[in-house]
């Protein structure tokens, strides 16, 4: 919920900034301020809030900055193209940002898995052939120090019987 409120706040901030500069620039150029708010929402808030920001940005831009003001009526049909472009760009950026976040999370998970597998393979390479079951069992026990110490002192046939681990 808070990310959606932040998305609304980013559009409100864009509207305030647009109101300050509206006398100095053409209304179409004000659309870029709203687009920046949508990009900021996409980068920091996620897909849903940035989609809300995109829709709200188009609505606020139309209502307050496109003649006739304070209505959703559009006199110049070229603004419809501007609205469509704003919405399309905003939704595209939010989708791409969400995909990028998902890919980064997947890459992080793969990295953690590779690190664990590398550590296991290093430990297996360093272990005596008769004690490799102990290495695997110690890894399966995780960070429980007492279990690892018990496994370190256990006989390989005892470990095989307890954990059914095959080298």
């Amino acid at each position: 919920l808070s990310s959606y409120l932040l998305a609304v706040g980013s559009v409100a901030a864009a509207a305030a900034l647009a109101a300050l500069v509206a006398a100095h620039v053409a209304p179409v150029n004000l659309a870029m301020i709203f687009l920046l708010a949508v990009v900021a929402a996409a980068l920091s808030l996620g897909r849903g809030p940035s989609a809300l920001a995109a829709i709200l940005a188009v609505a606020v831009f139309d209502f307050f900055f496109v003649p006739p003001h304070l209505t959703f009526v559009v006199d110049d049909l070229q603004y419809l193209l501007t609205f469509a472009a704003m919405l399309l760009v905003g939704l595209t950026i939010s989708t791409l940002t969400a995909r990028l976040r998902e890919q980064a999370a997947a890459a992080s998970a793969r990295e953690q898995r590779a690190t664990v597998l590398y550590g296991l393979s290093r430990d297996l390479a360093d272990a005596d052939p008769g004690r490799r079951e102990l290495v695997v069992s110690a890894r399966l026990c995780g960070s429980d120090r007492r279990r690892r110490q018990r496994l370190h002192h256990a006989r390989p046939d005892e470990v095989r019987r307890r954990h059914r681990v095959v080298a």
Side-chain angles (χ1 to χ4, degrees):
L1 182 63
S2 64
S3 58
Y4 286 92
L5 291 174
L6 287 172
V8 171
S10 71
V11 173
L17 180 61
L20 289 175
V21 299
H24 307 290
V25 296
V28 173
N29 293 327
L30 295 175
M32 296 303 121
I33 295 172
F34 287 98
L35 202 51
L36 285 175
V38 173
V39 169
L43 292 175
S44 60
L45 302 175
R47 183 180 292 170
S50 62
L52 173 66
I55 293 166
L56 246 140
V58 169
V60 169
F61 175 67
D62 179 23
F63 193 77
F64 291 106
F65 299 100
V66 174
H69 300 290
L70 303 178
T71 109
F72 288 109
V73 175
V74 178
D75 283 344
D76 189 353
L77 294 181
Q78 290 182 6
Y79 281 111
L80 295 178
L81 179 62
T82 303
F83 300 155
M86 282 176 65
L87 195 58
L88 181 66
V89 168
L91 294 176
T92 300
I93 289 172
S94 79
T95 299
L96 291 175
T97 304
R99 282 186 195 166
L100 186 62
R101 276 196 191 101
E102 292 165 3
Q103 290 173 354
S108 177
R110 283 192 305 270
E111 178 187 6
Q112 289 175 353
R113 183 174 179 219
T115 300
V116 168
L117 289 174
Y118 173 74
L120 177 61
S121 67
R122 189 184 63 227
D123 289 349
L124 285 172
D126 293 345
D128 294 331
R131 298 186 66 83
R132 287 194 175 137
E133 293 91 353
L134 292 175
V135 171
V136 173
S137 295
R139 282 285 183 165
L140 291 174
C141 290
S143 62
D144 187 347
R145 187 177 209 148
R146 283 189 289 169
R147 277 192 202 166
R148 280 192 301 190
Q149 287 174 345
R150 276 185 280 163
L151 283 170
H152 182 70
H153 296 296
R155 295 188 324 264
D157 59 330
E158 184 181 333
V159 172
R160 255 187 248 115
R161 181 176 52 79
R162 282 189 192 167
H163 297 283
R164 305 270 184 215
V165 175
V166 178

